[in-house]
Amino acid sequence: MGKNKLAKFADMVAYPHVFEPANTAAGMAAGTADETPFALRGRWNADFFHRDAPIVLELGCGRGEYTVGLARLFPDKHFIGVDIKGARMWTGATESLNEGMTNVAFLRTHIEFIDRYFAPGEVSEIWITFPDPQMKKATKRLTSSFFLERYRRLLCDGGCIHLKTDSPFLYTYTHLLVQKNGLPTPYDTDNLYGDFTDSCTDEMRRILSIRTYYESQWLARGLTIKYIRFHLPHQGVLAEPEVDIPLDEYRSYNRSKRSGLATSR
C-alpha cells in the first residue's frame, strides 16, 4: 500500500528540489498571500540548477511523468513540474530524487499565479498534459487567452507550448484559438498514435513516447490522443474563437458523464 497524504507531504518538505511557497493554496486564492517576492524568480538557473540551460515547465504535472520522462531524454535542459496537488507530485519528486537527477524540480502552486515564480523570458517551453477541459468556462481552460497572456509574462518571445489531451472539446477549442490568432503551429493532430508518428521527427517521436498513467487508461478504452504544438509571440492581441464546440460526453477517465449540456465556447 502506498504512503498516505500526510506522509507524502512530510517527505516533500525535506526534498531539496520541491518548493511549496507559503500560503499558496489558501492565501493566494483569497488574495491575502504574503507578497514577498519568490527568491528563485529569475534565478532558477543561477541559484538552483547552477548552470545555464533552457527551462521547461509541465503545468498540472500530476504524478510528474512528463517532467521526469523529459528530463531523462534531455539532460541538457531543466524541467519543473507545477501542480497544486502535492500527494500526486510526490511520485515524480521521489523518483527523480532517488535517481539523483539534477535537472528536475517541482513547484506546488496554483497555475493562475505562475508568473510570481518565473521572470520574463525565463522559460522556453510549456507542456500542458491532460488538463481538465473546463467545458463550462473558457477562462479556466489552460490553453485559453486568459492563461496564454500569463504564459507570455514568463516565456521567451516565440516560446513553445505543447498540449496533449484526450478531450475532443479541448483539442478543438485550442485548434480554433491557435488558428484564429495565427500562431505558428509545427504539429497539430487529432490522432497522435495514428499515422502522425510515422511523419514526425525522431526527436518528437521520442518525446511523444512518454505516456502518463491516465493516458494508458484512455488508450485502453479506445480513445484517441490529440496533440498540438504552437509558438507564442509576445506581440499581438489574443482573441477567443467565436464558435460553439460540441461538448465531450465525459470529463476524464473514471469520472461521471456530464448531462444537460450541448455546446460551449
Side-chain angles (χ1 to χ4, degrees), residues 143-263:
T143 55
S144 67
S145 58
F146 175 84
F147 276 100
L148 292 185
E149 289 293 355
R150 279 161 173 72
Y151 305 155
R152 275 178 164 175
R153 299 173 191 170
L154 50 99
L155 273 174
C156 60
D157 191 13
C160 182
I161 297 179
H162 308 256
L163 170 69
K164 202 176 183 187
T165 181
D166 65 295
S167 166
F169 174 87
L170 185 62
Y171 166 75
T172 302
Y173 166 79
T174 306
H175 171 86
L176 292 172
L177 185 146
V178 166
Q179 190 176 60
K180 182 179 181 69
N181 291 282
L183 303 179
T185 311
Y187 294 104
D188 184 344
T189 177
D190 63 357
N191 189 1
L192 179 58
Y193 299 113
D195 295 336
F196 174 75
T197 51
D198 294 332
S199 60
C200 65
T201 64
D202 288 341
E203 178 182 84
M204 183 56 61
R205 193 176 295 113
R206 290 171 62 213
I207 292 172
L208 298 178
S209 69
I210 302 169
R211 297 185 183 183
T212 69
Y213 170 80
Y214 286 109
E215 180 178 4
S216 297
Q217 300 296 314
W218 292 318
L219 287 168
R221 293 177 65 198
L223 301 178
T224 58
I225 305 302
K226 301 93 170 73
Y227 171 74
I228 299 180
R229 174 182 174 180
F230 62 95
H231 295 275
L232 186 61
H234 285 173
Q235 293 185 340
V237 177
L238 297 172
E240 288 287 315
E242 298 290 334
V243 179
D244 288 332
I245 303 169
L247 298 174
D248 299 339
E249 294 181 356
Y250 62 94
R251 279 187 67 184
S252 62
Y253 180 69
N254 208 27
R255 293 186 184 179
S256 60
K257 291 183 178 180
R258 287 182 178 269
S259 60
L261 296 173
T263 59

